[in-house]
Amino acid sequence: MKKTGKILIYVLCLTLVLSIVAGCGKTGQQGQEKPDAGEQPKEEKKVWVVGTSPDYPPFEFVDDKGNFAGFDMDLIQEVGKRLGVEVKIEPLEFESLIASLKQGKIDAIIACMSPDEERLKEVDFTKPYYKTKHGILAKPDGKAEIKELSDVLKYEFGVQTGTTMATWAKGQIDAGAVKESQVKYYTDANAGALDVKQGRLGAFVVDLPVAYEKAKELELKVALETVLEKDEDPGIVLQKGSTEMIEKLNKIIDEMMADGTVKEFEDKWFKQ
């Protein structure tokens, strides 16, 4: 019995020692800093998911090799490099971009998107990275005679949904300058340009570089270069309240303007 009692004492002591050691080990682990749920290990390069609508050459499109290409794509890759992040492009329809940003499905937007009153209620914009001009696409042998912007309102014309051109068109409808039935809306700018080619539209209002790209591709003409009233220039778009990141991006945009990088991209994609 005494021997058995001694054995039990030894077992209990050993168990107690092991428990203390194990407890010390656990305390040591708890004392270590844990990364936040969304934080990646420092040795990994952070991925910045940027949404775009790749149906808008020469700003953003998919080239013959299946790669995202265009002015916006070159610009955002350079911004990512200077920011120290890897840029992953997420293709989406233009109208779904802001909703996807607000839901956290993407981190930013670059899609030749300009701020307006409604958008500024939902998201933040950087300073502009491009000076906006618009072009009126028409068929060379078509009936539409367009010498000034108001001439567009005499015909059926198209705009891309969710764009500042669509906002302008709605303003013309509200002002009674054009009938609602005359304005056709397209989720894809390519479809609008094609309808001009097929004679189903008198004109298509679009950003000027896109107008020249489509004119060359579809044998159309840019009937007019113009600037829409109350239009703004495009910026990179972030979630509401991204003050610190907006400041960083604004500084990078300033640097790229100053060192000629933006002009280099403009010359590459917009020179006719």
Side-chain angles (χ1 to χ4, degrees), residues 8 26 35 65 68 77 82 84 90 115 125 143 168 186 215 224 235 259 268 272:
L8 287 172
K26 188 175 181 181
K65 296 179 180 178
F68 294 107
Q77 290 293 346
R82 298 188 187 205
E90 184 69 26
F125 281 77
K143 295 179 180 179
W168 169 80
Y186 296 82
L224 182 71
D259 66 22
K268 175 182 176 181
Q272 303 305 319

Side-chain angles (χ1 to χ4, degrees), residues 132-267:
T132 301
K133 286 189 76 175
H134 298 93
I136 313 299
L137 266 179
K139 197 173 180 180
D141 57 353
K143 295 179 180 179
E145 294 183 9
I146 300 168
K147 295 182 179 179
E148 56 186 46
L149 185 57
S150 60
D151 290 337
V152 174
L153 307 178
K154 301 173 185 176
Y155 309 98
E156 282 194 343
F157 68 92
V159 291
Q160 187 175 12
T161 53
T163 63
T164 52
M165 286 73 79
T167 302
W168 169 80
K170 185 178 184 304
Q172 299 305 307
I173 294 168
D174 293 343
V178 67
K179 294 178 182 177
E180 190 170 2
S181 60
Q182 287 177 249
V183 184
K184 309 301 177 186
Y185 297 92
Y186 296 82
T187 58
D188 186 335
N190 297 316
L194 192 59
D195 273 0
V196 174
K197 171 74 173 177
Q198 300 298 331
R200 291 189 285 264
L201 275 184
F204 189 68
V205 187
V206 69
D207 283 298
L208 186 61
V210 180
Y212 277 112
E213 185 76 17
K214 292 290 117 187
K216 182 169 60 176
E217 178 187 332
L218 298 174
E219 297 181 338
L220 298 173
K221 69 176 181 179
V222 178
L224 182 71
E225 293 186 10
T226 187
V227 176
L228 302 180
E229 58 208 56
K230 297 182 181 179
D231 198 7
E232 297 287 345
D233 298 323
I236 300 168
V237 190
L238 300 180
Q239 285 189 351
K240 199 71 180 169
S242 303
T243 308
E244 186 178 342
M245 180 62 89
I246 290 288
E247 289 176 358
K248 288 181 181 178
L249 294 177
N250 282 344
K251 184 179 178 183
I252 289 172
I253 291 169
D254 282 341
E255 290 170 355
M256 290 173 64
M257 292 281 192
D259 66 22
T261 303
V262 172
K263 185 179 185 307
E264 179 186 329
F265 294 153
E266 288 178 345
D267 289 346

Side-chain angles (χ1 to χ4, degrees), residues 101-121:
L101 179 64
K102 291 174 68 177
Q103 292 163 11
K105 295 179 180 178
I106 54 178
D107 302 313
I109 297 168
I110 190 163
C112 198
M113 184 180 286
S114 302
D116 60 28
E117 188 176 346
E118 291 305 312
R119 287 172 183 162
L120 287 171
K121 292 176 184 177

